[in-house]
Amino acid sequence: MSFLPEALRLGQTPLHLETVSGDDVRRAVDLPRVDASAFAALLSPAADEHLESMAARAHALTLSHFGRTVSLFTPLYVSNHCANHCRYCGFAAPNSIPRSQLSLDEVRAEGEAIAATGLRHLLLLTGEAPRKAGVAYLEACVQVLRPLFPSISVEVYPMETADYARLTRAGVDGLTVFQETYDPVLYAELHPAGPKRDYAFRLNTPQRGAEAGMRVVNIGALLGLTDWRQEIYAVGLHAAWLQKRYPGVDIAVSLPRMRPHAGAFQPACIVSDRELVQAMTALRIFLPRLSITISTREAPSFRDNILPLGVTRMSAGVSTAVGGHAKPAKTGQFEISDPRSVAEIEAMLRSRGYQAVFKDWEPIEASA
Amino acid sequence: MEHTDIFEIGGKRLSSRLFTGTGKYGNDELIAPVCEASGSEVITVALRRVDLDGKTDNVMKHIPTHMTLLPNTSGARNADEAVRIARLARAMGCGDWIKIEVISDNRYLLPDGYETAKATETLAREGFVVLPYMNPDLYVARSLADAGAAAIMPLGAPIGTNRGLRTEEMIRILIEEMELPIIVDAGIGAPSQACRAMEMGAAACLVNTAIATAADPVLMGRAFGRAVTAGREAWLAGPGAVATLAQASSPLTGFLDRTEGAS
């Protein structure tokens, strides 16, 4: 079983959301259990007029399932070598940026700088260059970081199940992988060369991670590459499919909007703040238990205001540069919009009646 | 006449039958005033959230020292993981009480009865006071009792939903059939629902989400404390029987008694 046939169908079948009426949206907002067709209604242009009621429902569901808490984490970029030619990414192989990969001592220094801020959840990132940053290297990084961080996720190149299993044994408990776009034709255009060209292998990555024992699997589309409504619909259905098939895995979604980066690619569509709110609240109403991440790609005031509408995780104290925590001011993957420190994010959450959760998991094997 | 109504469990005597939690608060500093306002003496804490070594705020420091800690095994997906968490909790100095939560379905967070019973058996043998969270199923309840549970914690509705006593009939059966205390856990969303559970004969209620996510958690904690007390007193008072038809205080057949009396 794979989500691939469904993804291919979704990617090539327009949703025709212009036929959705205001009544359809009103019904969808109040349904006790929202199905795929009601989810589509919530993503329609007609739903724009009902954004406030969607926000109210999304807030109530989030409060009920997650309370007034937001988990904080930060990314740690250990390598920016990349074999892919993604047309929209600052790390892409053809871009002439300084390339580097941290030594294990440098990884430790980065980890210590991050841990000093109080964070206990870490997202380990690389570019997609398995020959440079192979499984053994990642395993070694995890061993160095494990004493500092009870929870470590990876956002690296797609791997085979056996490699993910090796990482989970080393102490990795989460996997993030973005499909970028669910449209297979556009996907081929945007990935002209490199292993990432394989749409199917990437699409099945979350599934392989879940089967390898990852506790959290985070998916998403890069918003801006094509029609966001179509993409969020596919993300939601993919998340629902994963939730159903892997009930023990915490399925999470990120909503990254394209940011300026070292390259000439410009977004095909601009996703407005209002539209991002619609996307998030629709996802929350469709999947009440879904973890939703908002990154520092978004501006501080927007992150603060969107908080009650479904957010359960935030990145904080972010540097997207390799080694950027211990030695700041290097070239990052993309420009961040929210440069606030962990302490500042915590203070913001507190002022809004929310609690920053620094530690929400510890592998039982490592501690018992 | 005033009742001296003490709830004794695991060698501890409790005057409050409301158990509270530590999750979902916008600010952990609310925990202590909620404990005080509600009168609760037992509080559950997810061990996975505790970071004794961290430089960040630690939930444990907000729990008043007089409270009995009920660490829970939230995050455990099978009996083995629950047992490890319980042992870790004891090693950390959290005491011998443990609430078993074994959940491998993130959608509805329903507990796995079979794995829960296995963990209960192991931990009871190791001297823990085991309070397993469970679906209100009579057969699972019996196996938990056989495994050495100190009480049984059936859900009223799925965790965090505030949907109330959706499983009322099944809980009623457990109360009738089981000798162990029944502590209704999960789903209670309003003080009236906690009161209802106590009126039915539940030994106690555990409430977290409804208090922690209220606009005023301290006031809501007090409301729950009073509701649990009111329900308990109603149960102790022995409510009158429920009849289907009205029973007039001057019954229609009263003349029969008078006729017999006159003969």
Side-chain angles (χ1 to χ4, degrees):
Chain A
M1 277 290 284
S2 161
F3 186 66
L4 183 62
E6 180 72 356
L8 292 173
R9 190 186 65 77
L10 290 171
Q12 294 167 322
T13 314
L15 280 171
H16 294 302
L17 294 177
E18 64 281 0
T19 61
V20 174
S21 70
D23 283 344
D24 294 334
V25 178
R26 264 192 295 274
R27 267 193 299 276
V29 173
D30 289 328
L31 278 176
R33 185 163 179 165
V34 174
D35 62 11
S37 122
F39 176 45
L42 296 172
L43 292 171
S44 70
D48 180 74
E49 285 183 24
H50 303 275
L51 204 54
E52 186 56 31
S53 58
M54 285 174 66
R57 179 99 203 270
H59 172 60
L61 287 169
T62 308
L63 196 59
S64 165
H65 289 288
F66 298 90
R68 291 187 176 86
T69 63
V70 174
S71 294
L72 297 186
F73 70 97
T74 208
L76 167 50
Y77 285 76
V78 294
S79 172
N80 64 359
H81 292 283
C82 194
N84 290 312
H85 290 226
C86 313
R87 290 176 52 207
Y88 49 83
C89 178
F91 278 3
N95 288 346
S96 58
I97 59 167
R99 303 282 175 177
S100 58
Q101 181 162 318
L102 299 183
S103 69
L104 293 182
D105 281 343
E106 289 170 325
V107 169
R108 185 178 290 107
E110 282 283 287
E112 283 169 353
I114 293 168
T117 67
L119 291 174
R120 291 291 175 270
H121 285 207
L122 192 70
L123 177 62
L124 201 61
L125 285 102
T126 64
E128 300 202 3
R131 287 185 186 172
K132 291 274 187 185
V135 180
Y137 170 72
L138 293 170
E139 215 172 23
C141 289
V142 171
Q143 278 160 7
V144 164
L145 294 165
R146 164 58 62 221
L148 300 167
F149 299 97
S151 175
I152 299 176
S153 296
V154 290
E155 184 176 347
V156 297
Y157 44 89
M159 295 178 182
E160 297 288 356
T161 310
D163 288 334
Y164 283 133
R166 199 169 147 187
L167 289 182
T168 59
R169 281 195 297 275
V172 171
D173 56 57
L175 166 67
T176 290
V177 61
F178 297 151
Q179 185 61 26
E180 319 294 12
T181 174
Y182 283 78
D183 177 340
V185 176
L186 178 64
Y187 187 91
E189 286 171 17
L190 292 173
H191 305 98
K196 197 169 170 179
R197 269 189 72 74
D198 191 340
Y199 177 96
F201 189 68
R202 192 167 190 90
L203 189 84
N204 290 332
T205 304
Q207 185 173 344
R208 291 195 301 276
E211 281 164 6
M214 294 287 179
R215 193 182 62 84
V216 182
V217 170
N218 192 65
I219 62 171
L222 182 54
L223 301 177
L225 295 177
T226 183
D227 176 33
W228 68 269
R229 300 175 202 277
Q230 193 90 18
E231 294 283 55
I232 294 293
Y233 185 68
V235 168
L237 262 52
H238 194 183
W241 187 90
L242 288 164
Q243 276 190 344
K244 186 118 188 142
R245 189 169 171 85
Y246 304 102
V249 179
D250 178 7
I251 304 299
V253 160
S254 295
L255 297 167
R257 285 193 286 188
M258 286 203 68
R259 296 289 311 148
H261 63 96
F265 185 86
Q266 289 307 310
C269 73
I270 302 295
V271 181
S272 70
D273 288 357
R274 197 175 170 84
E275 288 169 333
L276 194 64
V277 166
Q278 186 182 347
M280 175 186 284
T281 52
L283 278 168
R284 169 58 68 234
I285 295 169
F286 179 45
L287 299 171
R289 280 222 152 265
L290 188 71
S291 295
I292 299 181
T293 305
I294 285 291
S295 76
T296 53
R297 287 170 179 263
E298 303 300 336
S301 63
F302 183 69
R303 292 224 299 171
D304 298 358
N305 287 318
I306 202 172
L307 182 65
L309 307 185
V311 178
T312 62
R313 297 174 195 207
M314 281 182 146
S315 48
V318 170
S319 166
T320 66
V322 176
H325 289 279
K327 292 178 187 169
K330 291 188 176 181
T331 307
Q333 187 184 25
F334 54 86
E335 291 174 19
I336 62 171
S337 296
D338 187 349
R340 288 176 293 183
S341 67
V342 174
E344 287 169 326
I345 295 287
E346 186 189 13
M348 176 278 288
L349 290 172
R350 189 180 287 267
S351 73
R352 289 175 175 262
Y354 279 75
Q355 182 184 180
V357 173
F358 289 86
K359 176 179 178 278
D360 192 29
W361 182 251
E362 182 155 3
I364 299 151
E365 291 76 11
S367 52
Chain B
M1 185 186 104
E2 192 173 324
H3 286 284
T4 309
D5 182 35
I6 296 296
F7 179 26
E8 188 162 338
I9 180 170
K12 283 203 162 97
R13 291 164 63 81
L14 304 168
S15 55
S16 167
R17 291 170 179 266
L18 173 65
F19 293 11
T20 48
T22 52
K24 299 188 178 179
Y25 282 96
N27 181 349
D28 282 347
E29 285 164 10
L30 286 164
I31 291 172
V34 163
C35 291
E36 187 183 345
S38 66
S40 172
E41 295 165 321
V42 177
I43 191 161
T44 187
V45 57
L47 207 66
R48 69 190 171 93
R49 287 282 284 271
V50 176
D51 184 15
L52 291 175
D53 301 325
K55 72 184 283 265
T56 53
D57 208 11
N58 177 18
V59 64
M60 300 293 275
K61 81 176 189 194
H62 296 288
I63 299 175
T65 50
H66 74 274
M67 301 293 287
T68 295
L69 274 184
L70 177 56
N72 66 57
T73 64
S74 165
R77 287 177 293 192
N78 55 47
D80 183 46
E81 291 181 353
V83 167
R84 290 178 195 212
I85 293 172
R87 289 172 182 161
L88 186 65
R90 182 148 71 178
M92 286 167 63
C94 294
D96 288 336
W97 286 38
I98 189 77
K99 178 185 162 193
I100 304 289
E101 283 185 36
V102 180
I103 294 169
S104 56
D105 184 323
N106 285 342
R107 189 170 175 87
Y108 291 105
L109 301 178
L110 295 174
D112 181 329
Y114 177 66
E115 294 291 318
T116 301
K118 281 204 293 185
T120 299
E121 186 168 15
T122 302
L123 293 170
R125 212 167 38 228
E126 293 180 12
F128 282 91
V129 176
V130 184
L131 286 77
Y133 170 59
M134 50 96 68
N135 256 312
D137 177 297
L138 184 58
Y139 296 95
V140 174
R142 284 176 177 150
S143 63
L144 292 172
D146 292 343
I152 289 169
M153 305 183 80
L155 59 89
I159 292 176
T161 59
N162 287 347
R163 290 166 68 85
L165 289 175
R166 298 298 172 122
T167 59
E168 180 172 335
E169 280 305 298
M170 299 302 115
I171 289 176
R172 187 184 57 75
I173 290 169
L174 295 186
I175 290 169
E176 283 177 7
E177 294 296 315
M178 302 298 297
E179 289 184 9
L180 286 176
I182 304 298
I183 302 170
V184 179
D185 178 9
I188 292 178
S192 55
Q193 295 156 1
C195 187
R196 172 72 189 137
M198 299 304 293
E199 284 174 344
M200 285 163 57
C205 290
L206 193 154
V207 181
N208 181 49
T209 301
I211 295 174
T213 65
D216 185 339
V218 177
L219 190 57
M220 188 60 87
R222 189 167 74 185
F224 266 104
R226 289 175 171 179
V228 165
T229 301
R232 176 66 181 173
E233 287 180 353
W235 167 254
L236 292 174
V242 177
T244 312
L245 298 175
Q247 293 185 8
S249 45
S250 300
L252 297 173
T253 53
F255 71 95
L256 294 174
D257 294 335
R258 285 199 299 276
T259 306
E260 284 174 11
S263 63

